[in-house]
Amino acid sequence: MTIDSLNESTAVIETRLAHGVHRVATTLLAEAAVRPSVPLSALAQLRDFLVVNLRHHHETEDDDLWPRIVAAAPATAHELGALTEEHERLDAALDRLAATNLGHGEGPTSEGIRAALHDAAVAVRDTVHDHLTHEEPILFPALRDHISPAEWKDFAQRVISTTPPVAGHLMVGFLDEVGTPAEVELVLAGLPEPVHPLLPAMRTQAADDLKILRGTGS
């Protein structure tokens, strides 16, 4: 399947892949949290990746993307405002996840730590999955109909330039799982040029870390 055959704009493709990453990553953290073979350090890395990226994603929507859409289509304001309210509920779940103390090492409290992380991760997973089912039927048509390629390029570059550098290799690994090679190439083309030579090493590191999280590697 090629990008052209999808009949989707670049904005829809890139957003769909970002949402796919959020679905897969939140599901993985909830599952990995109670897997005894997964080191707490690996769980902490995935947790921190999720908290940072989910917050940044919805903040850039609320503060930058929504105003662009509303400027072009004022009738979307009410629906986008409802999505912002859901983002606020997600923030509460992310606060709880971020506050989960993962400790240091695998001491006698490990089981309790994992249970607390699992509960917080499930809350984030369920909130994210429910939110995306509400958001996508609104957002995808709005991106297609009201955001020009030039405006999306400007927005996407702003997002990339302000994304906190937390476990960025995991983003590359998750993108490879949720997108076709052509789609992933489209997304990664927007990265700063100095990052491109690092992508093979990032993919290798991501593959290793994801195997550990899934209990299929050491």
Side-chain angles (χ1 to χ4, degrees):
M1 180 181 293
T2 66
I3 290 176
D4 288 343
S5 71
L6 293 170
N7 194 29
E8 291 179 318
S9 68
T10 297
V12 172
I13 293 169
E14 293 188 352
T15 303
R16 176 168 53 76
L17 263 63
H19 288 180
V21 169
H22 297 162
R23 287 185 171 100
V24 171
T26 55
T27 298
L28 177 57
L29 182 60
E31 294 172 349
V34 291
R35 192 170 287 135
S37 65
V38 180
L40 294 180
S41 59
L43 295 173
Q45 177 178 247
L46 178 56
R47 185 271 308 272
D48 293 346
F49 166 83
L50 271 172
V51 170
V52 163
N53 279 277
L54 286 170
R55 283 200 202 281
H56 185 257
H57 181 83
H58 77 67
E59 287 171 358
T60 56
E61 288 181 334
D62 293 334
D63 298 340
D64 193 345
L65 186 57
W66 285 187
R68 294 174 190 254
I69 295 172
V70 171
T76 63
H78 177 72
E79 289 182 318
L80 294 177
L83 294 176
T84 292
E85 292 178 1
E86 293 190 6
H87 289 165
E88 293 170 356
R89 291 194 288 274
L90 173 58
D91 262 335
L94 289 173
D95 285 344
R96 178 185 172 197
L97 181 61
T100 303
N101 180 10
L102 297 185
H104 302 281
E106 304 291 331
T109 61
S110 173
E111 185 174 343
I113 289 172
R114 291 173 187 276
L117 178 64
H118 176 258
D119 288 347
V122 166
V124 168
R125 179 199 65 194
D126 292 350
T127 302
V128 166
H129 286 225
D130 287 347
H131 171 65
L132 293 180
T133 64
H134 301 154
E135 181 175 277
E136 289 174 345
I138 298 168
L139 179 56
F140 288 172
L143 291 175
R144 184 173 55 246
D145 298 339
H146 305 303
I147 297 295
S148 69
E151 193 159 23
W152 177 258
K153 183 177 180 181
D154 178 70
F155 169 74
Q157 288 177 340
R158 289 173 183 263
V159 170
I160 290 171
S161 67
T162 57
T163 298
V166 176
H169 66 288
L170 291 179
M171 178 62 77
V172 177
F174 285 128
L175 283 170
D176 284 338
E177 293 186 355
V178 303
T180 68
E183 290 170 343
V184 174
E185 182 179 357
L186 177 71
V187 173
L188 297 181
L191 293 175
E193 190 60 35
V195 177
H196 290 193
L198 305 178
L199 288 173
M202 295 173 73
R203 281 192 160 98
T204 298
Q205 184 179 359
D208 291 342
D209 288 351
L210 292 174
K211 285 179 181 177
I212 291 171
L213 286 161
R214 292 185 170 118
T216 58
S218 56

